[in-house]
Amino acid sequence: MGKEKKTESYDNGSYNYKMFKCFNRKFKINEVQPTDDVRDAFCQFAIGGGGGGGDGDSSDGEGGVMGAEQLCSFLDDHQGDSGTTVPEAQRLIDEVIRRRHHVTRFTRHGLDLDDFFNFLFYDDLNPPITPHVHQDMAAPLSHYFIYTGHNSYLTGNQLSSDCSEVPVIKALQRGVRVIELDLWPNSTGTDINVLHGRTLTTPVPLIKCLKAIRDYAFSSSPYPVIITLEDHLTADLQAKVAEMATQIFGQMLFYPESESLAEFPSPASLLHRIMISTKPPKEYLESRNPIVKQQDNNNASPSSEEESPRAEEIQTLESILLYEDSCCENKSDSDHEEEEASEDQKPAYKRLITIHAGKPKGTVKEEMKVVVDKVRRLSLSEQELDRTCSSNSQDVVRFTQRNILRIYPKGTRFNSSNYKPLIGWTHGAQMIAFNMQGYGKSLWLMHGMFRANGGCGYVKKPNFLMKKGFHDEVFDPRKKLPVKETLKASQQKYTYFDDIHIHVKVYMGDGWRLDFSHTHFDSYSPPDFYTKVYIVGVPADNAKRKTRVIEDNWYPIWDEEFSFPLTVPELALLRIEVSEYDMSDKDDFGGQTCLPVSELRPGIRSVPLYDKKGEKMKSVKLLMRFIFE
């Protein structure tokens, strides 16, 4: 298949493709028609449709009309949307007629078959998942998966791309709730830049990033934004950061009255608030041991939190921390003057830290011991998570029940690629930090997870990750589970069954002709589309299915159904990708989406597709059906 520009034309209900500037190939345009399931549903509920909705004599449903009461019955009985009122149904009908017929037929207050078919295809009127926040938002922050960015200021790769406030804005507009900034002194040491240290990335002033966060923090979600800081600053510059933050954010900035939290606050209690998470100021430790300061100056790293300390440093740091703890418990007037001076230099900066952060300074198992009266954030690389989960998986789950665990990409991902997020989610890790510019299948999964709960950036963790047994036992992700638990989609409640499956039916697709040129996929004929359907979750649930290829058709009708058994539906994602078959080259991309299984609404639904960067396509969508049993 060639991608070079070819002459094409549209004439009298057909497409003309010119080959070798000599021959015309003519393909008839087949208009989209309702599938048998759509016709059957209309006949069942419409007045005059030949079904239970009325006593008309039209056996094929073509002459039937679906009024507000009948649409209510359809939404309740067929779609599982209980609670729809007759006035709400009438508003849906009026909106469909307005879009399709403008004002010419607005006097008619019912849907015919074509109107009904188009209603099912409108993804804003008939979406595949619940479009608003519906989960309990009053639990502590540690009870939620949180939409988290990594090096949020980078426009491209990790080594030489530009730093800018623009990626921060884009992330916030997409619903990301955790923004990471690396803080370094500028060349004169008088101001603060944001950049990936010890690389060729060009800096951006911190003040630009803070103002961007202030202006866009709640453009897509009212729930709190957390700024994670990688701090490489002197005490004077830390004080300047505190001054900037308080002046720019004002009342938006939240920080606790006490130095540490016994329990994290809830998202609901922090609406339109901004929090800071970082390690305590370095100088606070350095004032107690000048050796650490010298080692730090000699061994500066791109990211203080995201680099493993050398073995000889671990013992020193551990002794410092033990000394710090004893000082906190037994403060007296006999403290060293140097300590007091260090404390006085930066009370504002330290006070603004709501979520105290750190990385393992000894063994991860020791670091994950839960402290009764104190919560914190711990950061692990993706490799450290793999190692820890393979040997101490239940310790990770137990730690994340009260504390926050942040996972970040390994340092060799110079091209800003991402890793598989499911292992972190399965162990309760709240912050799976992703490169939002690292487009690919892993990022599609991240987008899919956080389409849940109205796209607010906070998704409640499954109950099994928060429960403790009589002997303090917790969920063990390494154990294979039976197929027994799922979301009863029609009732939005969790129940237990012996054998649970989700049935996914792919009816048809539409919209490519409107969003692409006629020769985009194939220079000499209409495209040959097929759809791949994946379940991505715990290893036992992972599966892949594929429809047949529909040749030479802009409106492919597959009408194929697939069944997937599920063991942990709460963590399962339904990933869908449409491709255009090519005999001689790599198949072309036709759109993708990813949806959380626990959020899927049963019935016939319109599923919009997205491009490779996760941007919603203007017109392309699939008509699908979801059944839980």
Side-chain angles (χ1 to χ4, degrees), residues 245-272:
T246 52
Q247 288 182 355
I248 292 172
F249 296 139
Q251 294 299 314
M252 299 167 72
L253 188 63
F254 171 84
Y255 49 90
E257 295 181 2
S258 59
E259 186 173 312
S260 61
L261 295 172
E263 185 177 64
F264 289 118
S266 70
S269 69
L270 296 169
L271 293 177
H272 298 101

Side-chain angles (χ1 to χ4, degrees), residues 363-524:
T363 65
V364 176
K365 185 177 177 63
E366 287 294 319
E367 194 70 27
M368 284 193 172
K369 286 185 177 179
V370 177
V371 180
V372 176
D373 58 349
K374 185 178 180 181
V375 291
R376 65 194 191 280
R377 171 172 71 83
L378 183 67
S379 287
L380 297 177
S381 69
E382 57 177 291
Q383 306 109 304
E384 288 174 317
L385 177 70
D386 287 341
R387 290 194 295 267
T388 304
C389 291
S390 63
S391 58
N392 302 293
S393 61
Q394 288 181 289
D395 290 332
V396 179
V397 173
R398 188 175 290 106
F399 178 83
T400 58
Q401 290 181 338
R402 295 191 67 246
N403 301 278
I404 290 176
L405 180 61
R406 172 180 171 269
I407 310 302
Y408 57 89
K410 60 185 178 182
T412 54
R413 294 188 180 275
F414 304 126
N415 62 348
S416 294
S417 62
N418 288 300
Y419 49 100
K420 296 179 180 180
L422 263 299
I423 183 172
W425 289 330
T426 305
H427 288 78
Q430 295 88 348
M431 296 182 178
I432 307 297
F434 258 38
N435 297 306
M436 295 300 161
Q437 75 279 28
Y439 307 117
K441 294 175 183 177
S442 292
L443 188 57
W444 297 350
L445 298 179
M446 181 65 66
H447 291 165
M449 169 62 84
F450 288 100
R451 289 191 178 105
N453 202 24
C456 74
Y458 287 84
V459 176
K460 195 78 156 48
K461 294 201 293 188
N463 289 335
F464 63 78
L465 285 173
M466 303 306 301
K467 290 180 179 177
K468 285 186 178 180
F470 184 76
H471 299 290
D472 202 36
E473 66 270 19
V474 296
F475 171 72
D476 187 352
R478 294 176 297 180
K479 287 186 177 179
K480 187 174 180 179
L481 300 176
V483 180
K484 66 175 183 178
E485 189 177 47
T486 191
L487 182 72
K488 187 68 174 177
S490 61
Q491 298 177 357
Q492 298 290 298
K493 293 180 180 178
Y494 287 98
T495 49
Y496 287 86
F497 298 84
D498 293 329
D499 191 16
I500 292 302
H501 292 74
I502 175 176
H503 299 274
V504 178
K505 192 164 189 177
V506 186
Y507 289 118
M508 63 175 67
D510 190 18
W512 291 280
R513 182 175 64 88
L514 300 175
D515 289 359
F516 298 93
S517 72
H518 295 162
T519 54
H520 176 85
F521 295 103
D522 197 317
S523 300
Y524 307 118

Side-chain angles (χ1 to χ4, degrees), residues 96-386:
V96 172
I97 293 176
R98 185 192 66 80
R99 294 185 190 184
R100 296 202 68 224
H101 311 292
H102 303 289
V103 296
T104 58
R105 291 168 60 190
F106 205 79
T107 55
R108 198 189 72 189
H109 299 292
L111 303 177
D112 62 20
L113 177 59
D114 286 338
D115 293 332
F116 176 69
F117 178 49
N118 278 270
F119 158 71
L120 293 175
F121 243 125
Y122 289 138
D123 62 271
D124 59 330
L125 303 182
N126 184 37
I129 61 176
T130 304
H132 55 265
V133 175
H134 59 89
Q135 296 177 354
D136 172 26
M137 303 300 288
L141 290 172
S142 56
H143 290 222
Y144 300 85
F145 298 128
I146 309 174
Y147 205 173
T148 303
H150 173 256
N151 290 352
S152 304
Y153 49 86
L154 286 178
T155 58
N157 69 64
Q158 302 288 309
L159 297 179
S160 61
S161 65
D162 292 334
C163 302
S164 169
E165 75 279 10
V166 174
V168 174
I169 294 172
K170 289 182 177 179
L172 292 170
Q173 290 175 329
R174 189 181 285 278
V176 172
R177 298 292 84 191
V178 183
I179 298 295
E180 182 186 25
L181 303 177
D182 287 81
L183 309 185
W184 292 81
N186 67 356
S187 57
T188 63
T190 58
D191 207 348
I192 304 106
N193 282 334
V194 175
L195 73 154
H196 198 201
R198 311 304 183 190
T199 68
L200 299 177
T201 56
T202 57
V204 58
L206 171 63
I207 193 168
K208 280 191 173 184
C209 295
L210 296 183
K211 287 182 177 179
I213 293 172
R214 175 197 64 192
D215 295 341
Y216 292 91
F218 308 108
S219 58
S220 64
S221 169
Y223 291 98
V225 167
I226 302 169
I227 305 174
T228 60
L229 300 179
E230 291 291 336
D231 175 5
H232 307 265
L233 303 175
T234 63
D236 290 342
L237 290 181
Q238 288 171 347
K240 190 168 185 176
V241 171
E243 183 181 1
M244 280 186 188
T246 52
Q247 288 182 355
I248 292 172
F249 296 139
Q251 294 299 314
M252 299 167 72
L253 188 63
F254 171 84
Y255 49 90
E257 295 181 2
S258 59
E259 186 173 312
S260 61
L261 295 172
E263 185 177 64
F264 289 118
S266 70
S269 69
L270 296 169
L271 293 177
H272 298 101
R273 304 300 294 271
I274 294 172
M275 293 180 289
I276 291 176
S277 175
T278 186
K279 294 190 294 186
K282 281 185 179 181
E283 290 77 14
Y284 184 64
L285 299 182
E286 292 168 357
S287 67
R288 288 161 170 72
N289 195 328
I291 297 175
V292 177
K293 184 172 183 177
Q294 181 180 355
Q295 289 175 339
D296 185 67
N297 291 335
N298 294 336
N299 299 284
S301 63
S303 179
S304 62
E305 185 177 322
E306 297 184 8
E307 291 290 329
S308 298
R310 297 188 310 172
E312 58 266 33
E313 294 176 340
I314 291 176
Q315 186 174 358
T316 306
L317 285 171
E318 283 181 335
S319 62
I320 292 169
L321 287 174
L322 289 172
Y323 181 71
E324 178 188 357
D325 288 341
S326 65
C327 287
C328 292
E329 294 174 3
N330 303 289
K331 277 289 180 184
S332 68
D333 295 335
S334 62
D335 288 339
H336 299 297
E337 290 181 3
E338 184 178 330
E339 293 173 22
E340 293 175 352
S342 180
E343 283 289 273
D344 290 341
Q345 287 176 16
K346 47 193 171 300
Y349 182 77
K350 187 175 181 182
R351 182 167 55 90
L352 295 184
I353 302 173
T354 299
I355 302 175
H356 285 245
K359 61 171 297 179
K361 298 173 177 63
T363 65
V364 176
K365 185 177 177 63
E366 287 294 319
E367 194 70 27
M368 284 193 172
K369 286 185 177 179
V370 177
V371 180
V372 176
D373 58 349
K374 185 178 180 181
V375 291
R376 65 194 191 280
R377 171 172 71 83
L378 183 67
S379 287
L380 297 177
S381 69
E382 57 177 291
Q383 306 109 304
E384 288 174 317
L385 177 70
D386 287 341

